[in-house]
Amino acid sequence: MVKCLAIADLFIDKQMMDDGLALLKEKGIEVVVKEWKHDDLEALQKDNITLEKQGSEAVDLPDYLIEGIEEYEYVITQFAPVGKKVIDRAKKLKFVGVLRAGIENVNRQYAEEKGITVFNTPGRSETSVSEYAVGLMLSEIRNIARADRKLRNGEWEKNYPNGVLAPELKESVVGLVGYGAIGQKVANLVRPFGGRIIFFDDYFTGETKDTQVSLEELVTQADIISMHYRLTPETKNMLNKTHFKKMKASAVVINSARSGLINEADLIEALQTKEITGAAVDVFEQEPLPADHPYLSLENVTITPHIAGSTIGNFANSPKILANRIINEYL
């Protein structure tokens, strides 16, 4: 019988994994679920951030998860690393499935050299992250979060960094940097508001109602710039001080994707000098955010603790989506 090791964690727990992979069991695959244990979500997130930034060899998989791994043809993981040590011991391994879009926690090159197929779960975050991105847009341009904070502090304030009269999505040019599944979903959510949508994406070749432009054109035309690109060595710091200098003074930048897509120091400088009006950020170079981080002293930025993808649907549905992909493409 074909055996599959599924590694659960604090976000996708054992029950979610068992329920989601029931389709594989129906196909005659024996699924064994083990848990990558952490004291709390922050400890798990710390390992995850390390893996995203430094790759699959930066964190060792504990021995209790590797024990008996030579018996398995499939390994399914969300955040747990699958590096050279695991691959070398897993003599029967044919497939590694990652329960998210990014596969930074798997040594893909080494796996494929060994004849192991590595695949992800595309589209799992498109609803959670796209909804959140639109929420950040509205919160930032309409001053929702900072107005709440002021009022709780006893201040009846109506004048904010973007003025007394806030802009509307209806009258805004929304520039999407990245037009994959999430970028397109954001466009679909924003379009009914009435704003004009432009986008930059080197890889998009299909048909769309929206307008494809260069990155240079996007940063000069857009009122709201929202990041939805994949982080690679080529896209790191793809938005930096040269782009902030070309933006409208009234522009707002949204990042619910990856912190490395934007040069954080350059964005902070642009906010401090009022080169742009504001930003809303869910991802940071250092997480948790240090107590002395410059964002904490700025009035023109909305910050949230990396929760754009934290929905029940995102995590609970991931094993089901991946199980269907395995059945449709590999069985």
Side-chain angles (χ1 to χ4, degrees), residues 4 118 148 248 261:
C4 171
V118 180
D148 175 82
K248 298 176 181 179
L261 294 171

Side-chain angles (χ1 to χ4, degrees), residues 67 89 104 109 193 221 269 310 327:
E67 185 179 354
R89 285 189 57 171
E104 297 90 349
Q109 181 177 346
F193 283 90
Q221 295 177 24
E269 184 181 353
S310 298
I327 291 165

Side-chain angles (χ1 to χ4, degrees), residues 2-8 17 21 24 29-34 61 65-83 86-99 103 105-106 111 116-121 322 326:
V2 173
K3 294 187 71 172
C4 171
L5 172 63
I7 305 174
M17 198 73 87
L21 300 179
L24 297 183
I29 296 175
E30 181 184 348
V31 178
V32 176
V33 180
K34 295 184 179 182
L61 199 63
L65 291 178
I66 300 176
E67 185 179 354
I69 199 151
E70 56 276 353
E71 302 173 18
Y72 298 95
E73 286 91 347
Y74 289 80
V75 170
I76 292 174
T77 178
Q78 178 177 225
F79 297 131
V82 180
V86 176
I87 293 166
D88 285 340
R89 285 189 57 171
K91 301 298 184 183
K92 292 184 179 180
L93 191 58
K94 296 178 181 177
F95 299 98
V96 177
V98 184
L99 291 164
I103 56 172
N105 56 316
V106 177
I116 299 164
T117 301
V118 180
F119 49 93
N120 63 353
T121 310
L322 188 67
I326 290 171

Side-chain angles (χ1 to χ4, degrees), residues 157-197:
E157 180 63 72
K158 295 192 177 184
N159 190 359
Y160 294 100
N162 57 3
V164 176
L165 300 177
E168 298 174 347
L169 270 180
K170 181 181 178 182
E171 302 298 329
S172 299
V173 177
V174 178
L176 305 176
V177 181
Y179 200 71
I182 293 175
Q184 290 177 49
K185 184 82 169 182
V186 171
N188 291 337
L189 293 172
V190 168
R191 203 175 292 113
F193 283 90
R196 177 173 167 246
I197 299 167

